[in-house]
Amino acid sequence: MKTQTETVTERSLPSFSISRHGLFIFLCLLPALLLVTVFIYYPLFKGVVMAFQSYSLFDLSNIEFIGLENFKTVMADSAFKESLINSFYWVFFSLLPQFLIGFIVALLLRRKFRGRGIYQAFIFFPWAMSGFLIGLIWRWMLNGQAGVINDLLIKLNIIDTAIPFLADPTWAMVSVIVANVWYGITFFAIMILAALQSIPDELYEAAKIDGANYIQQLFKVTIPYILPTLIVTTLLRVIWILNFPDLIYSLTNGGPAGSTHILSTFMLEKLIYGQNYGQAAAVGVILIFILLFFSIFYLLATKFNKAGDF
Amino acid sequence: MLYLKKGFVIFVLVMTFLGIIAGCSSTTNKSVSKDGTIKLRMVESITSPARTKLLRGMLDKFEKENKKIKVELISPPLQSADDKINQMLMAKEDIDVLEVREQTVKNFSNNKFIVDLSPYTNKWENWNTLTETIKHGATAVDNKPYYIPYGVYEKTLFYRKDWFQEAGLEVPKTWDDLVNAAIKLTDPAKNRYGYSFRGGAGSPDYIEFMTWSYLGKKINPKDAYFTQDGKVIFDTPEAKQVLDTLVKLYKKASPPDSISWSYPEMVQGFTSGMTAMLIQDPEVIVTSEENMKKGTWATAPIPKGTPSGVAQQPAGTAGWGIGAFSKHKDAAWKLVSFLSSPEENLFFAKNNSLIPIHLSAGDDPYFKEGYFSSYIEMNAKPDEFLIADRPVEYKGYADYRAFAVKDIQSLLLGKMSEEQALAKWTDFWKKEKENKK
């Protein structure tokens, strides 16, 4: 037990002191903190350091700091510029349809109808699959000679000759985006549906009494109410779409001729085929900065603070 | 209470750190059990379920003969196996035996991941019965045996015997013959194409051996991306001929999708009856035997270049090496020498569709006749079918193989001209040569 004086002296210590309760909380958090440090922050730090080193698998005994050399080499590469532009197309044209269709699906699922549970399960199914697997499935479906999609289009008399979906640069980009849209709709549908279910029915009743039609209800009640969710899910999705290489990697591997490379698959290529960890890390650092600036800009532009707390 | 608190803090910290340390070093001192049994760890790279089973069977036999040694076989998925091995070695794990390949041996020896086996091979009775190609492969880096190959991967021509007979065509002997035959056999309406083209990962290998074939003896055998007079091989009229041939072959006689084809699609294209010709490694023999009717297909030596009149390709070898961080190197050698003995190797090569490593295998009817005979034929004419080494000693080789895939696709799509591609590769290799000096 502490005496009165001990307590007093403890209080008179400089302001940097942790209460017993605080210490207990800290100790409880410590294991998690250590794990996160070891498995997330250390690799992240190591990755950033690598970006400034001549880190190549060819000769690990000779690793030196080479300043911005990796960044210069990477940025001078025309394939990097192409990946950067592709990344923009990839994110924009994947996100927009995902969001719109996901929103519509969520609105449709909000109403109760028979078999909604089963229907919901079917809609949400793609989300449970790995992007790699989805890439492989689409790769066979889109196959120019033996693919089911070409076969169907020919049998329906829509086209005469098979479309080389994965062999033509433009079609290849369209193909990966279509696969990604198919994959990502579910994410928006789940998140938006959860937000929709939190809107109190009274609001709609009040709107109806005021004579608002469906469209007016949508824009005056539904969207303002779930705006924070919309902003956060869109932001998360942008980060994921840009970061995840799995779908493109297994579907086209960036080909043909780099026409479907985005920054993250370009990075993987540097790593797996080029075996140059330093340059791959440099691409990774650039990617982090792009996402960081985008996030700040996006949150400022959407006046996120005013949209309510989330 | 204050003391108790401190004690508690220390306790938690110690436990957490112990936990982390234990998690990181779970393999220490487990390799020898109480009764003196040694446990070896072996990692394979070119994995497949069938091969892993085969290898496990051989290891069981080894364990029966050596009661005091147990072998744990680690088989990462094929796609990422080499990365996995690299990571294990970078973490200094005590791997005893590992699969070393022509493409990885330089990395591994540079980084001191594997040991020089000459102390063992000097005393090994079977060293002298190895074929020249195998000895050459084993000692490719620094003239030291860093691994004992278990077989050779050399390319051969697979063709549809029935289609050729039907069309009254001769089996191609040169690349020009091949292109002509391929065009004649192509009929997109029937979904039939002349050639299983490789446009995806690995396509630079085809440029490589075709350019060597066209240049013939003009290349420097010790430094095969350069000619005898010091030019880059891509800085020659022959290299232009190669690209002309390839573009023609793709545009007129290959499935459009093959611009992104790599190993599985090429093989599938041939075995499923879409393409008439395929140039691939011997393991396709087993795949074709399983999937195609007997008599519909056959193998032949790879086509020759014009005007050189020779064919020239790398002899890809893969085999078993000993990890630098192994604690039981002698036991590991026991295992490597067991796997590399004439009997065991013949068994492995037969079941894995490979060219065996010992001279004695040439007498075996399985290799003398049948689908492997094209290899025996190529081996019998060393003046017409030459072997060249890949430039694995150059740091930029991996990088070149990565970007050349893209360049080849750009070329086929018409986004890059042949001259541009050749100039780019020439510049790259000139710089590589300068940097190496």
Side-chain angles (χ1 to χ4, degrees), chain A residues 37-147:
Chain A
T37 313
V38 170
F39 291 110
I40 294 180
Y41 288 103
Y42 173 70
L44 189 71
F45 173 75
K46 178 91 185 165
V48 174
V49 171
M50 261 186 202
F52 297 94
Q53 288 176 325
S54 60
Y55 206 113
S56 162
L57 211 51
F58 183 76
D59 190 0
L60 292 171
S61 58
N62 192 17
I63 296 167
E64 295 165 356
F65 277 97
I66 49 167
L68 292 171
E69 203 55 46
N70 284 331
F71 289 91
K72 279 183 201 156
T73 321
V74 165
M75 287 201 204
D77 191 345
S78 62
F80 173 79
K81 282 168 211 150
E82 201 181 354
S83 320
L84 195 66
I85 298 166
N86 285 342
S87 302
F88 171 76
Y89 284 118
W90 161 251
V91 171
F92 185 78
F93 290 106
S94 300
L95 186 79
L96 206 65
Q98 277 182 7
F99 177 78
L100 289 177
I101 303 173
F103 200 172
I104 294 169
V105 169
L107 286 174
L108 291 174
L109 282 175
R110 192 165 169 256
R111 295 191 192 149
K112 280 202 176 110
F113 58 86
R114 234 180 145 165
R116 185 170 76 159
I118 295 170
Y119 188 67
Q120 220 164 327
F122 273 114
I123 296 256
F124 293 166
F125 175 64
W127 195 241
M129 279 159 74
S130 96
F132 201 82
L133 182 65
I134 289 173
L136 288 179
I137 294 172
W138 279 86
R139 184 180 177 152
W140 282 115
M141 295 206 309
L142 291 165
N143 187 306
Q145 278 72 46

Side-chain angles (χ1 to χ4, degrees), chain A residues 178-253:
Chain A
V178 167
N180 192 27
V181 168
W182 179 83
Y183 184 25
I185 288 171
T186 312
F187 169 77
F188 279 108
I190 296 173
M191 297 303 277
I192 295 173
L193 183 63
L196 286 177
Q197 280 165 349
S198 71
I199 305 176
D201 282 338
E202 292 85 353
L203 290 180
Y204 289 107
E205 279 164 26
K208 265 182 214 158
I209 291 165
D210 287 346
N213 60 24
Y214 184 78
I215 300 291
Q216 281 169 326
Q217 281 178 30
L218 181 69
F219 283 98
K220 299 282 179 189
V221 179
T222 314
I223 291 180
Y225 200 91
I226 62 165
L227 195 59
T229 312
L230 297 185
I231 291 174
V232 171
T233 47
T234 320
L235 179 64
L236 281 179
R237 196 68 201 142
V238 167
I239 295 174
W240 286 346
I241 293 178
L242 192 55
N243 261 341
F244 285 173
D246 48 3
L247 190 74
I248 293 187
Y249 184 77
S250 59
L251 190 53
T252 62
N253 200 1

Side-chain angles (χ1 to χ4, degrees), chain A residues 2 10 20 23 27 30-31 34 38 55-61 79 82 139-140 142-145 164-167 169 255-259 261 266 269-270 272-275 277, chain B residues 1-2 5 8-9 12-13 16-17 20 83 86 90 106-107 110-111 113 191 193 201 250 255-257 259-261 265 268 274 392-395 398-399 402 406 409-410 413 415:
Chain A
K2 280 179 199 168
E10 239 178 44
R20 193 187 297 179
L23 189 69
L27 284 175
L30 194 65
L34 278 172
V38 170
Y55 206 113
S56 162
L57 211 51
F58 183 76
D59 190 0
L60 292 171
S61 58
E82 201 181 354
R139 184 180 177 152
W140 282 115
L142 291 165
N143 187 306
Q145 278 72 46
F165 283 112
L166 302 177
S259 55
H261 259 313
F266 180 67
E269 189 184 82
K270 285 266 169 218
I272 294 173
Y273 295 102
Q275 303 192 337
Y277 285 45
Chain B
M1 191 100 176
L2 206 66
K5 203 166 72 186
F8 182 60
V9 174
V12 171
L13 281 175
T16 321
F17 273 109
I20 289 173
D83 285 334
N86 260 309
M90 276 159 87
K106 181 68 181 169
N107 284 1
N110 262 352
N111 297 324
F113 287 165
N191 205 14
Y193 296 88
Y250 171 71
D257 258 28
I259 193 166
S260 56
W261 278 10
E265 292 93 350
Q268 182 116 25
M274 191 197 293
V392 287
E393 309 231 347
Y394 287 89
K395 188 181 176 187
D399 206 15
K406 252 180 269 169
Q409 289 175 337
S410 300
L413 290 167
K415 279 165 67 180

